[in-house]
Amino acid sequence: MNVSDQNAPEEQRRRVRRSAILLGMVALSFYVAFIVMSVMRS
Amino acid sequence: MAHEHTADNHTHDDHAHGPAHGWRRWVYATNHKDIGTMYLIFACVMFFVGGFMAMIIRAELFQPGLQIVEPQFFNSMTTMHALVMIFGAVMPAWTGLANWMIPMQVGAPDMALPRLNNFSFWLLPFAFTLLLGTLFTPSGAPAGGWTLYPPLSLQGGDSFPMAIFAIHLMGASSILGSINVVVTIMNMRAPGVGLLNMPLFCWSWLITAYLLIATMPVLAGAVTMLLTDHFFATSFFSASGGGDPVMFQHIFWFFGHPEVYILILPAFGIISEIIPTFSRKPLFGYDAMVYATAAIAFLSFIVWAHHMFTVGMPLAGQLFFTLSTMMISIPTGVKVFNWTATLWKGSLSFETPMLFALSFLFLFTIGGFSGLMLAIVPADFQYHDTYFVVAHFHYVLVPGAIFAIMAGVYYWLPKWTGRMYDEKLGKWHFWLSTIFVNVLFFPQHFLGLAGMPRRIPDYSVQFADWNMVSSLGAFGFGLSQLLLPYIIWKCVKGGVKSTGRVWEGAHGLEWELSSPPPYHSWDPPPSRELVARGVQH
């Protein structure tokens, strides 16, 4: 998706915020998942 | 013609002012170029710190016997050298290059999250103060290897929690930096800059950023569990409490192998920019290069156990990890073929960035071949933990990753500073680096094949000759790197003024800007005509 598709800067900001939070959640879930997996195993 | 920016292009909301003055410019920096510069300076400092540690290692190994340092300190040096070079030099150098180039290449005014960008950078000095501070603790710096295998790493004394906290900070910095890269590329591209026509440096960084987001938390999880094993009486990795130290190795290498590609994929991107420029031809097989990069990233998640064949695993496991590792050579071979095909019948010229790129092409391939040898289980049983492995990964990381960083710095330095570097000195830097890097690392293949173990301060006299040669190469390589900061300083202070395009064969949006580029690169975004001219594919 590039800038031409995002007429309003506000929409772009929302998109940026949303994808940043989503990626942060993905990173956090990898962190938690590996610890939980190790708890289950040990 | 370089894109002209005028003050009336901007509104106050767009921060159309110049940089702040004094220390505030750097401490409160939100501009991608300022932050990129800080990353690159930080990486350069860490390169010399890590390099100094390497000099200590090679000085001790110059002759058999213990001459210069205590064995414990020697082990600290091998551990710290790796941590500093991986997390302090190579990764921040890539992030610095990403900060500088990605907004300019995709036609964005800045990174998508400038304040987060500032935070990502400023975590690093704290992380490395902590890490290097371990050298001054009574127990000494961590000495169990950068892989932090328990139970050895758990015996680290005062330095252990400091190192673990430093690793958490480095990981947080990398994850936040990667989020910024992904969000910038996915949301900030100018009209006309599509995913399949943006520069390969952006593509390789996009894939690298996804790798980082998926794997750095895994390392963080592993070291968190080490910390709880040490201080909170858990037994994740302690056999006496029902845990499994081998599980740490699995988790570590699930991070560790993609980490290798995190260090090398941006190099592929840079080489894919430089070779077409100095061959004066479009890159051969752009789409194949993108898919090959993605394939390498995917495969990097399913090969981790080739680092630990010797712990013992079922035959099916050995076969799976051997074959999956060998499969990586297919997309890598596609890349080497495409770079060579780009060179074929090109109108070649050999400026310093091209020389480093060609050296990368030959020497990285040597590192790749020795990697294939290590993928074969019975052979790996012989090579494991020998200097052959040291030679292999240094061929990948020094004439691979570091030469690509050098190539990128020489390639874009005139764009960043608006001045040309001294080409003659650049060539001296190249030739000295290339000669000495081979004198340094090639004999280590022979040492490893003859059975010399890695991470030892003393060795049998049969290994003396090649160790002396390797150490001489190390001193030569280390000294020749002092040329780099001098060349950059000389360029900034008094280089001949460069044009916007700099290199006659260069294509890409960054070359449509003036040299040096305006403080806010693309604000307003480039026109479609400009994008069409800048796009090379």
Side-chain angles (χ1 to χ4, degrees), chain B residues 418-474:
Chain B
R419 292 174 182 279
M420 283 303 290
Y421 60 87
D422 185 329
E423 187 63 49
K424 196 173 169 187
L425 279 180
K427 283 184 173 150
W428 267 103
H429 180 213
F430 164 75
W431 282 111
L432 289 173
S433 298
T434 298
I435 292 166
F436 282 123
V437 87
N438 285 296
V439 177
L440 162 56
F441 293 120
F442 210 84
Q444 295 181 2
H445 291 107
F446 309 143
L447 289 168
L449 291 174
M452 178 172 161
R454 60 191 288 204
R455 291 173 175 151
I456 53 160
D458 187 10
Y459 50 82
S460 164
V461 286
Q462 65 181 311
F463 305 125
D465 292 347
W466 284 124
N467 266 297
M468 187 178 283
V469 172
S470 180
S471 291
L472 289 172

Side-chain angles (χ1 to χ4, degrees), chain A residues 1-4 6 12-13 15-16 19-20 23-24 26-27 30-31 34-35 38-39 41-42, chain B residues 112-113 179 182-183 186-189 191 213-214 217-218 220-221 224-225 236 244 247 251 254:
Chain A
M1 195 69 56
N2 57 40
V3 174
S4 62
Q6 302 155 11
Q12 191 187 36
R13 274 196 204 114
R15 221 182 264 278
V16 163
S19 23
L23 291 168
V26 169
F30 269 89
Y31 178 70
F34 270 78
I35 293 178
S38 305
V39 170
R41 234 186 89 99
S42 62
Chain B
L113 300 154
I179 289 175
V182 174
V183 171
M186 298 311 283
N187 294 284
M188 305 282 284
R189 278 176 288 119
I213 290 166
V218 178
T224 302
M225 288 185 275
F236 288 110
D244 182 3
M247 186 170 72
I251 297 173
F254 186 82

Side-chain angles (χ1 to χ4, degrees), chain B residues 349-429:
Chain B
S349 61
F350 299 95
E351 287 85 348
T352 309
M354 179 65 155
L355 289 173
F356 272 109
L358 292 175
S359 187
F360 168 96
L361 191 53
F362 282 103
L363 300 179
F364 171 78
T365 306
I366 292 178
F369 278 136
S370 55
L372 269 176
M373 293 167 71
L374 286 162
I376 302 164
V377 177
D380 182 76
F381 272 52
Q382 301 299 315
Y383 307 150
H384 188 82
D385 260 346
T386 70
Y387 256 81
F388 189 83
V389 179
V390 178
H392 156 67
F393 68 73
H394 278 97
Y395 259 89
V396 173
L397 292 177
V398 184
I402 288 178
F403 273 25
I405 292 168
M406 303 285 186
V409 167
Y410 281 112
Y411 185 54
W412 284 312
L413 190 62
K415 169 57 63 186
W416 300 338
T417 61
R419 292 174 182 279
M420 283 303 290
Y421 60 87
D422 185 329
E423 187 63 49
K424 196 173 169 187
L425 279 180
K427 283 184 173 150
W428 267 103
H429 180 213

Side-chain angles (χ1 to χ4, degrees), chain B residues 34 85 103 112 140 207 407 464 473 481 487:
Chain B
D34 287 348
M85 285 302 201
I207 292 168
Q481 297 321 302
I487 292 168

Side-chain angles (χ1 to χ4, degrees), chain B residues 165-404:
Chain B
F165 190 47
I167 289 170
H168 275 113
L169 288 178
M170 294 168 206
S173 167
S174 296
I175 292 166
L176 297 178
S178 304
I179 289 175
N180 222 336
V181 167
V182 174
V183 171
T184 302
I185 294 176
M186 298 311 283
N187 294 284
M188 305 282 284
R189 278 176 288 119
V193 182
L195 277 179
L196 276 179
N197 66 8
M198 66 180 183
L200 270 171
F201 181 65
C202 297
W203 254 116
S204 61
W205 236 113
L206 180 65
I207 292 168
T208 303
Y210 280 120
L211 281 181
L212 273 162
I213 290 166
T215 59
M216 287 309 288
V218 178
L219 173 69
V223 295
T224 302
M225 288 185 275
L226 275 184
L227 200 68
T228 60
D229 270 9
H230 193 62
F231 291 106
F232 301 104
T234 57
S235 314
F236 288 110
F237 310 123
S238 160
S240 61
D244 182 3
V246 174
M247 186 170 72
F248 178 88
Q249 297 188 24
H250 280 289
I251 297 173
F252 180 87
W253 286 113
F254 186 82
F255 144 79
H257 198 80
E259 171 67 18
V260 175
Y261 293 95
I262 286 163
L263 298 174
I264 203 67
L265 288 186
F268 294 167
I270 283 190
I271 300 306
S272 304
E273 302 277 323
I274 291 174
I275 287 181
T277 294
F278 295 99
S279 305
R280 292 163 183 81
K281 277 175 68 188
L283 181 73
F284 182 88
Y286 172 93
D287 290 4
M289 290 298 237
V290 172
Y291 298 131
T293 311
I296 291 170
F298 169 74
L299 289 170
S300 75
F301 281 106
I302 55 168
V303 298
W304 77 88
H306 68 214
H307 292 272
M308 37 190 291
F309 281 139
T310 54
V311 300
M313 66 181 73
L315 182 63
Q318 291 179 4
L319 284 172
F320 174 81
F321 286 108
T322 292
L323 294 174
S324 58
T325 303
M326 287 183 163
M327 275 172 67
I328 294 186
S329 63
I330 298 169
T332 312
V334 167
K335 286 186 164 294
V336 172
F337 178 85
N338 285 4
W339 289 322
T340 312
T342 307
L343 291 165
W344 179 250
K345 291 191 175 175
S347 178
L348 307 183
S349 61
F350 299 95
E351 287 85 348
T352 309
M354 179 65 155
L355 289 173
F356 272 109
L358 292 175
S359 187
F360 168 96
L361 191 53
F362 282 103
L363 300 179
F364 171 78
T365 306
I366 292 178
F369 278 136
S370 55
L372 269 176
M373 293 167 71
L374 286 162
I376 302 164
V377 177
D380 182 76
F381 272 52
Q382 301 299 315
Y383 307 150
H384 188 82
D385 260 346
T386 70
Y387 256 81
F388 189 83
V389 179
V390 178
H392 156 67
F393 68 73
H394 278 97
Y395 259 89
V396 173
L397 292 177
V398 184
I402 288 178
F403 273 25

